Amino acid sequence: MLLMLSACGGGGGGGSTPVANIIPNAVAGGDQQVTEGDSVTLDGTASSDPDGNITGYVWQQIAGTSVGSLNDAGEGKVSFTAPNGDHDLTFQLTVTDNDTANDTDTVNVAVSAQSVSNLAPTANAGDDIFADEGDVVSLDGRASSDSDGTVDHYQWSLFNKDTGESDPVLAGASSAEATATLPASMTTDTVYTYKLTVTDNLGATNSDYVDITANANPVTGQTVSGSIAIPPGNRVDLDTLDPNTTPGNNDSIGFAQSMPNPAVVGGYSRNSDDEYDYYSATLSAGEAISLLIGRKSEADLDLYLKTLGGTTVDASLSYDSDESVTVPSSGTYIIEVHAWSGASAYHLVIGENATAVASNGYRLSDDFVADEVLVRHKPAVKAGVELQLDNTLMTNLGMVKQAGQAGQAGDIQLYRVKPQKNLQAFADSQLFSSRVRTMSSSQQQKYETLTSIKLLASDPSVAFAEPNRILKPLATPNDTDYGLQWHYPQIGLPAAWDETYASSAKIAVIDTGVLLSHPDLTNQLSADGYDFISSTSISADADGIDNNPDDPGDSSNPGVSNSSFHGTHVAGTVAAESNNSIGGAGVTWKTSSQIVPVRVLGVGGGTTYDVLQGVKWASGQVNDAPAPDQLAAPVDVINLSLGGSGSCGVSEQAVYSAAKANGVTVVVAAGNSGGNAANFSPANCDDVLTVSAVGYDKSLAYYSNFGLDIDVAAPGGNMSQDLDGNGDPDGVYSTLGDDTPTYVTYNYDYYHGTSMATPHVAGVIGLMKSANNTLTPDDIEAMLINGYLTEDIGPTGFDTSFGHGLIRADLAVTAAKNPPVIPPNLAVYPGVLDFGSIFTLATLTASNTGASGLNIIGVSDNQSWLTVTEPETTDGLGTYTVHVDRSGLSAGTHNATISFDSNNNDINVNVSMSVGPADASADVGYIYVQLIDAGTDSVVDTVTPNGSGAYSFTGVQDGDYKIVAGTDYNNDGAICSRGEACGAYTSLYDQQTVNVSGSDESGNNFTVGHDVAFTPASAAR
C-alpha cells in the first residue's frame, strides 16, 4: 500500500488567502494485447499537471503473473518481457506534481501464448533388401525422426506382394527393429513391400516403404572375401565425375584442397564444366610437382604453381605431354590443374625430388625467346605444294615468318608471334585477362607465346610447334703452356700423340664463333665456317646469318667487361696448334684435323633455332645457308658446349638423330647446374654423347650435372682448387682473347665447366676418326659402352656420375686402329631405380651392345615387394616393367636388387624406395571391386568395400577367379584407366588366381592406389 503524507499549518494573520493546488492527471496509456516473449512498453508520459509540472512517476504491477522488476520503474516509460502463456496483467501508474499532489491510473495488458502447429515425423524404413528364400530379414526403422518432438510408436505391416507366394512371418511389428522370415520353399521370385508407420508425441503420423526381393530357389555358392588398403599419401580430387560420390568444391583458390607432402592425387578435369582443380601444399625448394595426364590424345591439361594470394610462380603449358614444375623456394603454395581443352583423369604427384625425375612440358621459368615459335609443317599432300597455316590463326597471332626453308618437307620454320590483344579476342578473353593479372610482365610475354603454341598445334597443317629456347655456353672463367694443361696427361694424351695417323678429321665447334686470327688457331681452322645468329640483338655484328664465323664478342657491356670468347677456348682444347713455341696444345694437334667454326651464340646466349641450323649445316641437312656456303660433306664430329633447361624438343631430337644417321658423332655438355642432366637440353636428347666433368683428382666436379643421361666423363676442372700445387687454379687452360678496352688481344686462360670437358671427348673422337675414318657413330658408341675407350673411375660399370668412365685418348686410338671384336654384351638401363615414397612403376631396358648371340638366361629379385615383368621375347632383351608394392611394409627405406644373368655377362640393378608413416586420411574415392572369371576375363560380380575396406562376394561358384579393384573418375564404366586408382590380388603386377572349390575363400587382401610411373631419364641410348 502506498501512503501519501502532507503537512498542515495555519495561516498568518493579515496575509492573503493562498491559491488551492490542482492535482495532476495520471495517464497510464491504453490497454494492450501482446504475444508471449514480446517486449512490452508502458507509457505514462501523457500525464499532466494543469498548474505545475509532474515531478515523479511510480509504476507498480497490481494484478496477474509477476513479470519481475520493471525496467526504469521511476520513469515515464517502463518495459518488460511478456511471460510465456496466456495472462491478464494490470499495472498502476502514480504521478506526483511539484506541490506533492498525486494521481493514479491503471493499464491492462493481455498476453497470449504463441500458436504452434505440430510437424509430422519422418518415417525411414531403410534401403531395399535382397535375400534368399528362408532368410530372416531385418527391418530397421531407427533412422526415423521427428524434428519438433519424439517418435513414440512404430508399426510394421506387409503392404504388398507381387506374387501368390506365402506371406513372411513378421516379428516385432511394433518396434523400431522387426524381422520378416521369408517362406522356406518358394517357386517364384517375389517382391514383398513392407510399410512402416511412425507416430510422434502429439499423435501425428508418417509412413515409408521398403522392398524385400526374395530369391526363390537361390543358387548356392561360396563367399570370397578380403580387405583393401590404401597406400599412404594417396588422395582424391573432390569433384570427379563418378556419380557414386558426393562432389565437393575445389574449383577456386579459396576452396583449395589441402594435401600432404608427399602425395599423389587422382583427379578429373573437364574444360566444359570442371575446368579448375585447386590444391594447397607445403613444399620445399627443389621439389617437383608432376601432372600425369590420363588421355593426352583427348585432353590438354596444364599445371600452375601459385602463391596463396594467387600470384603465378610458374606454370607448365604443353599441348601433348605431361607437365611438371619445380618449387623455387620453401613455403606453402597453391597448385592448379586447368583443363585447357577436353577432359581426362590425371595423377598429380606432389613433393618428389626434382633431380630424381625427368622434366616435362614448356614452363614459364624456361629460358626461351618470348614472341618466337618453331613450327614444322606436316608433309604436303601433293609434291611441291606446301601446307599453309590457317589465315585467321596467323592474323590473330600476329605471325610473321622469320626464317626457314619454305617447301622443304619436315624443315623447321621460325615465326615471330605478337598475339596480345589479338590473342585475347581469339582465345578465351576472360581466361586470358584473369591469367595475365597474376603474372609479371616477362611471364605474360611467355604465357602469350606458349598459348600461341597451343593454338598452332591444333592447326591441321602443323606437325608440332615449340618455343625457341635460349641456350648458353657452359663454362665459368679465371689467369696465364703445355705444362699447365694437367688435363691432357689425365686422359692419356701423350701416349696417343706418339701414334701415327693416316687421315684427319673435321670437328665442328658450334659455339660463339672463333677468334680466327688467334695465333694458336689460324693454321687449325677449316676454310669453311658459318654464322647462323639470325637476331641482330644477339649477334653483336649488326647483320644476320653469313659465312663469317669470327667472334666479335658477347659482352653485354663492351669495352668495360670482357667477352667470354667461349668458342675460342673450346676450339683450342680440340685442336690448338702445338710445337709452335706459344701457348698450349690441343687434343688433335698431332693430326691434320681441322676445326670448322660455327657461330650460334652471342650476347646472352643463343636460340634453339640458330643452334639447330648450325648442327644441320655441319651434318649435311637442309638449312638456311645459301647453296654456295653449304659444306661439301658432313663433318666427323660436332662439339656442343652449350645447353639450357627443359626437355629435348621434337625439333631438336629430329636434328640430332639425322646427324647421327649422316655419320656425325655429336658430343654435348651435361650442364653446370649440379643437377640431373635429364632436365637439360641437349644433354637429355638421344643420339648424342653427354659429357660430365671431373677435376684434377678425378672426382665429379661440384658444378657438373649427373644422371642416367651421362655417357662419359672428361676433365672440366675446378678453379676453386690447386691440387697440382702449381700456384694456378685447376681449370682447363686454352686459347682465349681479351676485348677490353677497345680492341682484341690474344691470350690463354683457365675456364672450368662441362663446356671444357666436352671438347676433350670431341677431340679424342677426332683422333679416332683420324686413325680410322671408317668408324661410324654406332662403332664408337659400342666401344664406349663396352669399356674400350675409358677408365672406370666410379662404381664398376656404368654409373650416374661418370657414365661409362673417364675418356682415355690412348685406349681410344688403340681401339680405333685395331677395332675390337666386341662379344655379345648385356647392358641394362637405367642402372639404378629410386622410387622415392610415391612412385610405383618404372621400366628397365635390356639390350645387346655387342655382337649377336646374347641371351638372357634369367632375371630375379630378392624382395617380395618387388615385381619384375619380363618382355615376351625369345632372347629376353627388351623392356622390363618394375613394380613396387608398399603394403604391409614398415616405414623407412627399403632396398632390393634385380639380377640379370646372360650367356656372357651379368648385371645387377639396385632398387630403393621408401615407405611413409601410417596415413589414416589416405583415400582414393569410391572403389569398385570386380570378381573376374580367370578363364574368360569376364566380370562375374562387382561390389563395394565398406568403410573399413572389407569386401565380400557371395554365391560364388567353384572355379578360378581374379580380383581387380579400382576407381572410375571419368565415369566411362571402366575402372583402372590411366589417372585412376587401381589394384589387384595379390598385386597389380603379380596377379594370383583364387581357386574356389566347395568352401569360402577369405583373406584375399591387397592394395588399391595410384599406380604412378616415373621416368628417371630419357630413353636408353
Side-chain angles (χ1 to χ4, degrees):
M1 179 177 291
L2 180 64
L3 300 177
M4 305 300 293
L5 304 178
S6 61
C8 298
S16 62
T17 302
V19 178
N21 178 41
I22 302 173
I23 66 172
N25 179 31
V27 180
D31 293 343
Q32 301 184 46
Q33 290 185 336
V34 299
T35 303
E36 62 181 6
D38 286 353
S39 177
V40 182
T41 299
L42 304 178
D43 190 351
T45 56
S47 302
S48 61
D49 183 28
D51 60 351
N53 56 287
I54 304 297
T55 60
Y57 298 85
V58 177
W59 287 93
Q60 282 185 303
Q61 183 178 356
I62 60 175
T65 300
S66 174
V67 299
S69 299
L70 297 173
N71 298 326
D72 303 318
E75 301 293 333
K77 290 182 179 181
V78 297
S79 62
F80 65 92
T81 300
N84 292 334
D86 295 325
H87 303 282
D88 289 322
L89 312 176
T90 303
F91 298 87
Q92 178 180 280
L93 169 65
T94 301
V95 297
T96 304
D97 67 6
N98 55 314
D99 286 322
T100 69
N102 56 68
D103 187 31
T104 63
D105 190 21
T106 60
V107 61
N108 296 316
V109 178
V111 180
S112 300
Q114 290 185 355
S115 177
V116 179
S117 60
N118 180 39
L119 299 177
T122 300
N124 188 333
D127 295 333
D128 291 340
I129 301 168
F130 295 85
D132 293 330
E133 60 181 20
D135 284 354
V136 178
V137 178
S138 296
L139 301 173
D140 191 348
R142 290 177 296 172
S144 302
S145 61
D146 186 29
S147 61
D148 60 351
T150 58
V151 176
D152 286 353
H153 183 69
Y154 299 83
Q155 186 62 51
W156 292 94
S157 61
L158 179 61
F159 178 75
N160 187 48
K161 60 181 179 180
D162 63 353
T163 71
E165 292 285 355
S166 301
D167 293 349
V169 177
L170 182 64
S174 298
S175 302
E177 295 179 273
T179 60
T181 302
L182 302 179
S185 296
M186 301 174 61
T187 58
T188 306
D189 292 348
T190 302
V191 176
Y192 295 100
T193 301
Y194 276 85
K195 177 181 179 181
L196 170 65
T197 301
V198 296
T199 306
D200 70 7
N201 56 308
L202 295 178
T205 63
N206 185 245
S207 298
D208 189 28
Y209 302 86
V210 59
D211 289 339
I212 302 175
T213 301
N215 181 22
N217 302 313
V219 177
T220 58
Q222 315 306 325
T223 297
V224 176
S225 61
S227 65
I228 287 173
I230 309 300
N234 277 232
R235 294 294 188 272
V236 62
D237 171 21
L238 284 175
D239 57 353
T240 68
L241 204 59
D242 189 333
N244 287 309
T245 61
T246 301
N249 181 8
N250 64 354
D251 295 341
S252 63
I253 289 179
F255 290 93
Q257 192 176 346
S258 179
M259 288 294 153
N261 179 8
V264 55
V265 186
Y268 177 82
S269 188
R270 182 164 61 178
N271 177 262
S272 60
D273 56 5
D274 184 17
E275 193 171 351
Y276 303 94
D277 286 332
Y278 287 92
Y279 306 94
S280 65
T282 299
L283 306 167
S284 297
E287 289 181 330
I289 304 165
S290 300
L291 177 63
L292 311 178
I293 304 166
R295 296 180 176 178
K296 290 192 285 287
S297 62
E298 300 177 12
D300 181 1
L301 307 187
D302 294 328
L303 177 64
Y304 290 81
L305 183 66
K306 297 185 173 185
T307 66
L308 293 178
T311 300
T312 299
V313 177
D314 200 0
S316 184
L317 307 168
S318 305
Y319 59 87
D320 64 350
S321 77
D322 297 329
E323 311 285 359
S324 66
V325 295
T326 300
V327 179
S329 59
S330 299
T332 302
Y333 291 88
I334 296 294
I335 303 164
E336 176 193 324
V337 176
H338 173 238
W340 169 273
S341 65
S344 178
Y346 62 81
H347 279 138
L348 180 68
V349 181
I350 300 173
E352 288 298 317
N353 192 314
T355 62
V357 295
S359 62
N360 294 292
Y362 306 138
R363 288 165 294 277
L364 296 181
S365 58
D366 288 345
D367 207 1
F368 59 87
V369 182
D371 303 337
E372 286 188 359
V373 297
L374 305 181
V375 177
R376 172 175 284 177
H377 289 284
K378 293 177 181 177
V381 178
K382 297 180 180 180
V385 179
E386 184 183 15
L387 289 175
Q388 298 294 319
L389 283 167
D390 179 77
N391 287 331
T392 302
L393 177 63
M394 293 187 68
T395 299
N396 283 297
L397 296 182
M399 292 182 64
V400 178
K401 187 173 178 180
Q402 302 294 299
Q405 298 298 308
Q408 294 289 344
D411 190 48
I412 303 164
Q413 301 187 34
L414 175 64
Y415 287 91
R416 176 69 55 85
V417 292
K418 288 290 185 181
Q420 299 173 357
K421 292 183 179 180
N422 285 334
L423 178 59
Q424 295 182 51
F426 184 75
D428 185 333
S429 60
Q430 184 176 0
L431 169 63
F432 183 88
S433 60
S434 64
R435 282 284 185 221
V436 297
R437 279 198 300 269
T438 71
M439 297 177 180
S440 66
S441 58
S442 61
Q443 285 178 325
Q444 290 179 26
Q445 289 180 314
K446 288 185 172 182
Y447 175 74
E448 292 171 359
T449 303
L450 296 182
T451 305
S452 299
I453 287 172
K454 285 178 174 290
L455 296 172
L456 283 167
S458 65
D459 187 281
S461 73
V462 173
F464 66 82
E466 294 178 327
N468 193 16
R469 296 185 187 273
I470 296 174
L471 306 179
K472 296 184 177 181
L474 297 174
T476 304
N478 207 16
D479 269 69
T480 288
D481 286 340
Y482 172 66
L484 301 177
Q485 293 174 312
W486 56 268
H487 36 97
Y488 290 160
Q490 187 184 75
I491 63 170
L493 264 173
W497 287 336
D498 286 340
E499 298 288 337
T500 58
Y501 296 90
S503 186
S504 63
K506 285 194 173 184
I507 303 162
V509 174
I510 300 179
D511 212 291
T512 63
V514 172
L515 289 171
L516 302 181
S517 298
H518 195 290
D520 240 355
L521 295 176
T522 52
N523 295 327
Q524 307 298 99
L525 299 174
S526 166
D528 300 301
Y530 214 79
D531 177 358
F532 278 100
I533 300 179
S534 56
S535 169
T536 56
S537 63
I538 297 176
S539 67
D541 62 1
D543 56 25
I545 68 171
D546 56 38
N547 60 5
N548 180 12
D550 196 25
D551 188 349
D554 57 8
S555 172
S556 59
N557 193 9
V560 177
S561 61
N562 191 26
S563 295
S564 72
F565 296 111
H566 185 270
T568 298
H569 196 281
V570 170
T573 299
V574 172
E577 187 175 358
S578 297
N579 279 351
N580 60 349
S581 301
I582 59 172
V587 173
T588 63
W589 75 270
K590 189 68 178 295
T591 74
S592 55
S593 296
Q594 291 183 316
I595 299 164
V596 180
V598 183
R599 186 166 182 256
V600 297
L601 305 179
V603 178
T607 69
T608 299
Y609 184 83
D610 292 348
V611 171
L612 294 183
Q613 289 300 312
V615 174
K616 292 166 75 174
W617 179 81
S619 59
Q621 302 177 54
V622 174
N623 60 84
D624 288 349
D629 293 331
Q630 299 293 332
L631 284 176
V635 299
D636 298 289
V637 187
I638 288 175
N639 186 102
L640 290 172
S641 291
L642 48 79
S645 63
S647 56
C648 182
V650 178
S651 56
E652 293 176 278
Q653 188 57 67
V655 169
Y656 296 129
S657 296
K660 182 179 180 181
N662 287 352
V664 181
T665 300
V666 181
V667 187
V668 306
N672 296 345
S673 298
N676 194 335
N679 298 323
F680 295 84
S681 173
N684 54 12
C685 294
D686 292 341
D687 296 321
V688 301
L689 297 181
T690 300
V691 185
S692 65
V694 301
Y696 181 86
D697 59 357
K698 297 183 182 179
S699 65
L700 187 70
Y702 72 90
Y703 52 79
S704 179
N705 285 347
F706 52 83
L708 296 167
D709 285 294
I710 302 302
D711 292 293
V712 65
N718 184 345
M719 290 170 53
S720 66
Q721 297 177 334
D722 181 19
L723 299 183
D724 62 357
N726 67 352
D728 283 345
D730 293 340
V732 171
Y733 188 77
S734 185
T735 49
L736 214 55
D738 186 340
D739 59 354
T740 59
T742 57
Y743 57 91
V744 177
T745 57
Y746 305 111
N747 58 20
Y748 307 84
D749 208 344
Y750 295 100
Y751 278 0
H752 75 195
T754 54
S755 272
M756 285 55 259
T758 305
H760 285 82
V761 176
V764 168
I765 295 175
L767 288 176
M768 294 177 68
K769 290 288 286 185
S770 297
N772 181 352
N773 62 9
T774 66
L775 293 176
T776 68
D778 286 336
D779 294 334
I780 294 167
E781 185 175 4
M783 293 179 189
L784 173 65
I785 292 173
N786 288 281
Y788 292 98
L789 311 183
T790 57
E791 174 189 350
D792 196 351
I793 60 174
T796 302
F798 176 88
D799 63 77
T800 57
S801 293
F802 314 109
H804 298 286
L806 177 67
I807 192 70
R808 290 283 303 201
D810 49 350
L811 299 178
V813 171
T814 298
K817 285 192 167 188
N818 302 285
V821 177
I822 300 175
N825 184 72
L826 173 64
V828 179
Y829 289 93
V832 62
L833 290 175
D834 182 0
F835 286 85
S837 60
I838 290 295
F839 293 107
T840 58
L841 186 65
T843 58
L844 294 170
T845 301
S847 59
N848 180 8
T849 62
S852 61
L854 181 72
N855 288 282
I856 295 179
I857 300 170
V859 178
S860 61
D861 62 80
N862 61 353
Q863 294 292 344
S864 60
W865 49 263
L866 191 65
T867 302
V868 181
T869 304
E870 302 181 10
E872 296 182 357
T873 56
T874 56
D875 56 10
L877 300 176
T879 300
Y880 288 74
T881 300
V882 183
H883 181 262
V884 297
D885 184 356
R886 296 179 175 85
S887 58
L889 297 178
S890 59
T893 301
H894 298 260
N895 298 296
T897 301
I898 303 173
S899 299
F900 289 80
D901 300 328
S902 78
N903 59 345
N904 181 64
N905 59 309
D906 301 332
I907 289 180
N908 289 331
V909 176
N910 293 323
V911 181
S912 63
M913 64 98 168
S914 59
V915 178
D919 183 3
S921 299
D923 182 23
V924 296
Y926 194 91
I927 296 174
Y928 303 84
V929 189
Q930 295 180 342
L931 185 69
I932 299 173
D933 187 303
T936 64
D937 277 338
S938 59
V939 177
V940 176
D941 196 5
T942 301
V943 298
T944 299
N946 62 21
S948 61
Y951 69 91
S952 178
F953 298 100
T954 58
V956 180
Q957 300 304 294
D958 288 355
D960 291 329
Y961 299 91
K962 295 184 290 185
I963 306 172
V964 178
T967 59
D968 186 18
Y969 299 148
N970 58 12
N971 192 29
D972 65 353
I975 63 173
C976 293
S977 299
R978 189 171 188 259
E980 297 174 344
C982 195
Y985 176 78
T986 55
S987 75
L988 192 58
Y989 293 89
D990 186 23
Q991 295 187 33
Q992 302 294 318
T993 58
V994 177
N995 177 258
V996 178
S997 180
S999 61
D1000 294 343
E1001 294 292 334
S1002 61
N1004 301 294
N1005 307 330
F1006 59 98
T1007 296
V1008 174
H1010 299 306
D1011 191 42
V1012 183
F1014 76 105
T1015 304
S1018 57
R1021 302 195 309 240

